Amino acid sequence: VCSSDLSDDRVIDTMARASLVPPASRTQIVAASLGAATNDLVYTPITPCRILDTRVAGGPLAGGFSRDFNAVVGSGGNFSSQGGSATDCGVVAAGQAAVVINVTAVTPTGAGFATVYPFGATRQLASSVNYTTGAIVNNTVVAKLPNPLTTKDFTIYSFATSDFVADIVGYYAPPQAT
């Protein structure tokens, strides 16, 4: 059949009936397009809340060292022991897989970087915040939480001595049926 013998409508109909991709169930198509309701994490934004401030508690983090912190607390807990809010910031430990925090290096004594990483994990080579002497520099990072949760949630390593402030702005958790 010569292509001039086919009308546009006939070509469109023929192509629409052709199987160009392997057949898939509706669930597979939705999961591929939107994510899987059982495996993917859901982001929940919260009102920014201070979870740590080394200027208030603990003092500056010494250069070349790291310190462990909490990002979620048990029922009735708060962040005041790490210089943060006297509330739970709305992040009572309930299956969160990661938290989103805005980390600020405050007046470091030298140029360098800080790395935020999961508590108990090996520090990665990537930096989370790069700073210069005396600067106040921040960055938003996603910090994976240990699974299962332990006594601490994340660690900050600092190349130079510096104070740090962190505000939680959201978290990732498995979806909850409603």
Side-chain angles (χ1 to χ4, degrees):
V1 175
C2 178
S3 63
S4 62
D5 293 342
L6 296 175
S7 69
D8 287 343
D9 289 339
R10 188 167 174 197
V11 170
I12 292 170
D13 288 345
T14 302
M15 293 189 74
R17 289 189 188 103
S19 177
L20 302 176
V21 294
S25 72
R26 181 181 182 116
T27 303
Q28 290 170 319
I29 293 170
V30 169
S33 301
L34 302 175
T38 56
N39 299 334
D40 290 344
L41 299 174
V42 175
Y43 176 69
T44 302
I46 63 170
T47 302
C49 184
R50 180 86 15 110
I51 61 171
L52 79 90
D53 188 338
T54 63
R55 299 169 304 175
V56 176
L61 181 55
F65 289 92
S66 58
R67 191 179 302 162
D68 305 322
F69 299 98
N70 288 317
V72 296
V73 293
S75 181
N78 64 62
F79 297 98
S80 58
S81 66
Q82 27 185 71
S85 174
T87 71
D88 63 16
C89 290
V91 287
V92 173
Q96 294 91 341
V99 291
V100 181
I101 53 178
N102 188 355
V103 178
T104 305
V106 181
T107 60
T109 59
F113 65 94
T115 301
V116 177
Y117 58 101
F119 172 76
T122 301
R123 177 173 48 99
Q124 68 269 20
L125 297 177
S127 66
S128 301
V129 179
N130 296 309
Y131 48 73
T132 58
T133 304
I136 298 175
V137 182
N138 70 317
N139 194 20
T140 300
V141 299
V142 177
K144 180 181 176 188
L145 300 178
N147 185 6
L149 289 176
T150 61
T151 57
K152 296 293 181 183
D153 298 323
F154 68 96
T155 301
I156 298 178
Y157 166 84
S158 186
F159 182 81
T161 299
S162 180
D163 274 306
F164 286 91
V165 173
D167 299 319
I168 188 165
V169 298
Y171 59 87
Y172 287 92
Q176 300 294 317
T178 58

